[in-house]
Amino acid sequence: MKAQPIASHFIDGEYVEDEDGAVIESLYPATGEVIARLHAATPAIIEKAIAAAKRAQPAWAAMSPTARGRILKRAAEIMRERNRELSELETLDTGKPIQETIVADPTSGADSFEFFGGVIAAGMNGSYIPLGSDFAYTKRVPLGVCVGIGAWNYPQQIACWKGAPALAAGNAMVFKPSENTPLGALKIAEILHEAGLPKGLYNVIQGDRNTGPLLVNHPDVAKVSLTGSVPTGRKVAAAAAGSLKHVTMELGGKSPLIVFEDADLESAIGGAMLGNFYSTGQVCSNGTRVFVQRKIKDQFLSRLKERTEKIIIGDPMDEATQLGPMVSFDQRQKVLSYIDKGKAEGATLITGGGIPNHVTSNNGSGEGYYVQPTVFADVTDDMVIAREEIFGPVMCVLDFDDEAEVIARANATEFGLSAGVFTADLSRGHRVVDQLEAGTLWINTYNLCPVEIPFGGSKQSGFGRENSLAALEHYSELKTVYVGMGKVEAPY
Ligand code: NAD
């Protein structure tokens, strides 16, 4: 299986190669097979990309928002027309089952281009401020060259969630995907240009943790939007602070999902499973601390076990497969080591707990980076598996007795990305989410992030928001103009 792109980078409207850059091997997680060989960006490539973006941005910003929006909406149409091809590429890049990528990855990227392409004509309006005989007005103006740095769990979605609002607002973008998933963003760049995007406005360069800082420290970059882990976020925010760049940080989490005894049990279990096993657990907003009210604990666990053991693990390209491999060998080892910690700490293993032995991937090698969907019960707040982000299909179930107690325990974490509550009592639902410290919260559902709603974290999970009109604020700034209507009266 091969997915070799034309070249490693897409700059100024075309594919560009520079073989001096370190080799990045793209492995298909289901088999470990090398499917593409690319090169990390050299400093010369970075200069080329940022110079192209800088050159192209003023004319783009000068276009009418409707004209900019029309191109983004066309890109959304092309993405939908090519959904299967893009979904297969996303599956090769990440190992996520085609059953998921076909409904969740390119389609959510397309939603983003469609939404921002549509709202932009009205989304960048300023205000008029009466000041007696004088007045002032504000304008929303683009920032200039924006850098996007992606994680590996939703490569195409992240490339679009950053690209769409940035471009809609009149900026240019240089995007660096994760070194684990270098392929999808190049296709997004291709499609944008096919849709009519002028060259230089959306550039993709490859690289890893050594490449990222070259972008973040570049003096011609106005903003950096990172999706990644908290330690990376701290480094990128510190580097960006050196030159006072705008930053958006979409970081990790250890989110609470609270199930009260009056909840619809099957929905709560379904929510908890989606919020732990979708994308093989590699979702930042996952509700990995599932607090279950003691009275329904046994019932909850027995149905959860039953449903979890029916999950179909296997070849991601098979439409029946519900759970694919982890993205990489290293990530699989990290998850397995957390599972070992959970066992050693005395949590009760309900199901899973290792590598599935019946998986043979589509080349029959059996080399994929698979982990069983795993549920631990009797997890206590002090256990490592309840405190640290695992980023794999490992659910921790904790017991609780009353509302005040569970709110305090849910909030006792440095993270604040998401939270969820399942209850039949709607006033309790609202009362509880009101007190939970998180940026994105759900009542009686979990992990739904349509483009219409703001998405992002609080506390150590980050700041800034993606999606919705809120994202436009993070890709633009206000310009205020005071207009004097009379003579200037100076005291001297
Ligand atoms: P990571 O932090 O290792 O890497 C993220 C990106 O940052 C990669 O492209 C990497 O090359 C780059 N990078 C690493 N060091 C850098 C540096 N010093 N300067 C600039 N760039 C640097 O994260 P990952 O392992 O790719 O992804 C998993 C993490 O991402 C998890 O913690 C997950 O919760 C988080 N995540 C958050 C969201 C969100 O929206 N909040 C979404 C998806 C993933």
Side-chain angles (χ1 to χ4, degrees):
M1 207 171 301
K2 285 278 170 267
Q4 186 68 35
I6 294 167
S8 300
H9 319 291
F10 192 99
I11 299 173
D12 214 8
E14 59 188 27
Y15 276 100
V16 177
E17 192 55 271
D18 179 350
E19 291 183 356
D20 287 346
V23 171
I24 295 177
E25 282 192 333
S26 170
L27 306 180
Y28 181 37
T31 61
E33 188 186 346
V34 177
I35 53 169
R37 266 195 187 79
L38 299 94
H39 293 272
T42 56
I45 284 287
I46 288 179
E47 282 308 322
K48 194 175 164 76
I50 292 176
K54 192 178 172 188
R55 211 166 34 240
Q57 190 266 333
W60 175 245
M63 276 168 68
S64 80
T66 304
R68 289 200 300 268
R70 196 175 302 131
I71 293 170
L72 302 187
K73 285 190 279 184
R74 177 72 193 121
E77 279 169 23
I78 302 174
M79 285 187 76
R80 287 192 211 290
E81 284 158 16
R82 300 209 192 135
N83 187 36
R84 166 137 310 253
E85 178 199 328
L86 290 168
S87 301
E88 283 174 3
L89 183 67
E90 189 76 340
T91 289
L92 288 173
D93 227 0
T94 60
K96 295 197 288 182
I98 190 82
Q99 189 189 90
E100 278 187 25
T101 52
I102 206 114
V103 296
D105 293 87
T107 48
S108 81
D111 283 353
S112 172
F113 284 123
E114 190 175 347
F115 176 84
F116 286 104
V119 298
I120 194 57
M124 291 282 276
N125 291 346
S127 58
Y128 168 87
I129 303 157
L131 297 166
S133 53
D134 290 351
F135 67 94
Y137 62 91
T138 63
K139 310 170 61 153
R140 245 188 199 281
V141 295
L143 301 172
V145 178
C146 300
V147 159
I149 300 178
W152 40 255
N153 58 342
Y154 280 83
Q156 291 182 28
Q157 182 186 84
I158 294 170
C160 297
W161 280 17
K162 297 192 189 307
L167 291 171
N171 302 285
M173 171 149 279
V174 178
F175 184 79
K176 188 196 85 60
S178 162
E179 57 275 31
N180 283 315
T181 52
L183 306 174
L186 290 168
K187 281 283 163 205
I188 304 299
E190 245 184 63
I191 287 173
L192 277 164
H193 288 81
E194 196 180 321
L197 187 74
K199 61 183 194 172
L201 290 167
Y202 189 88
N203 309 279
V204 175
I205 62 115
Q206 305 296 341
D208 58 12
R209 67 193 54 216
N210 300 314
T211 320
L214 301 177
L215 293 170
V216 179
N217 291 322
H218 199 287
D220 289 339
V221 170
K223 173 183 174 116
V224 180
S225 175
L226 169 79
T227 298
S229 62
V230 174
T232 303
R234 290 194 182 114
K235 284 185 208 142
V236 171
S243 48
L244 294 178
K245 290 181 169 67
H246 295 247
V247 277
T248 292
M249 289 285 150
E250 293 293 351
L251 309 176
K254 190 77 195 175
S255 301
L257 193 167
I258 303 171
V259 183
F260 284 96
E261 62 190 27
D262 62 353
D264 178 312
L265 198 65
E266 288 299 314
S267 291
I269 292 169
M273 290 174 75
L274 283 167
N276 278 274
F277 303 145
Y278 206 69
S279 292
T280 320
Q282 304 163 115
V283 181
C284 52
S285 49
N286 270 353
T288 46
R289 289 183 296 144
V290 180
F291 290 92
V292 177
Q293 205 158 15
R294 206 174 301 273
K295 216 168 155 189
I296 55 163
K297 173 184 171 184
D298 292 344
Q299 229 183 328
F300 184 93
L301 287 175
S302 86
R303 272 298 284 153
L304 174 62
K305 176 176 159 66
E306 207 178 316
R307 288 177 62 175
T308 301
E309 288 174 357
K310 285 195 186 133
I311 291 176
I312 302 166
I313 311 170
D315 172 3
M317 286 296 179
D318 181 341
E319 304 234 340
T321 295
Q322 297 170 321
L323 193 99
M326 310 293 315
V327 76
S328 65
F329 178 81
D330 288 351
Q331 187 62 19
R332 202 253 311 257
Q333 295 314 103
K334 186 181 149 198
V335 172
L336 290 174
S337 83
Y338 274 112
I339 291 175
D340 288 344
K341 270 187 200 125
K343 291 174 184 167
E345 283 177 310
T348 309
L349 184 66
I350 300 293
T351 185
I355 297 173
N357 52 21
H358 63 283
V359 177
T360 39
S361 37
N362 51 354
N363 74 347
S365 71
E367 294 293 316
Y369 314 130
Y370 289 88
V371 179
Q372 287 176 316
T374 297
V375 177
F376 280 111
D378 305 313
V379 176
T380 53
D381 298 350
D382 56 325
M383 290 182 184
V384 174
I385 55 168
R387 286 188 283 113
E388 296 181 9
E389 183 183 46
I390 300 174
F391 223 57
V394 182
M395 187 193 304
C396 294
V397 178
L398 304 93
D399 316 328
F400 77 95
D401 292 301
D402 69 65
E403 190 179 308
E405 170 214 334
V406 77
I407 292 168
R409 289 171 58 200
N411 286 338
T413 167
E414 61 169 351
F415 298 110
L417 186 54
S418 314
V421 178
F422 276 87
T423 177
D425 176 350
L426 264 188
S427 31
R428 169 159 63 194
H430 290 290
R431 188 169 67 232
V432 172
V433 290
D434 205 41
Q435 295 170 79
L436 291 174
E437 296 164 357
T440 310
L441 302 102
W442 293 275
I443 299 175
N444 290 337
T445 187
Y446 202 80
N447 256 358
L448 297 178
C449 296
V451 67
E452 293 87 348
I453 68 171
F455 177 76
S458 63
K459 294 161 79 176
Q460 296 296 297
S461 293
F463 39 80
R465 290 293 176 266
E466 298 204 295
N467 292 341
S468 78
L469 290 176
L472 290 177
E473 287 172 26
H474 296 286
Y475 282 103
S476 60
E477 62 190 351
L478 276 184
K479 204 172 207 179
T480 306
V481 182
Y482 185 112
V483 182
M485 298 294 286
K487 287 200 179 299
V488 173
E489 286 177 22
Y492 34 75

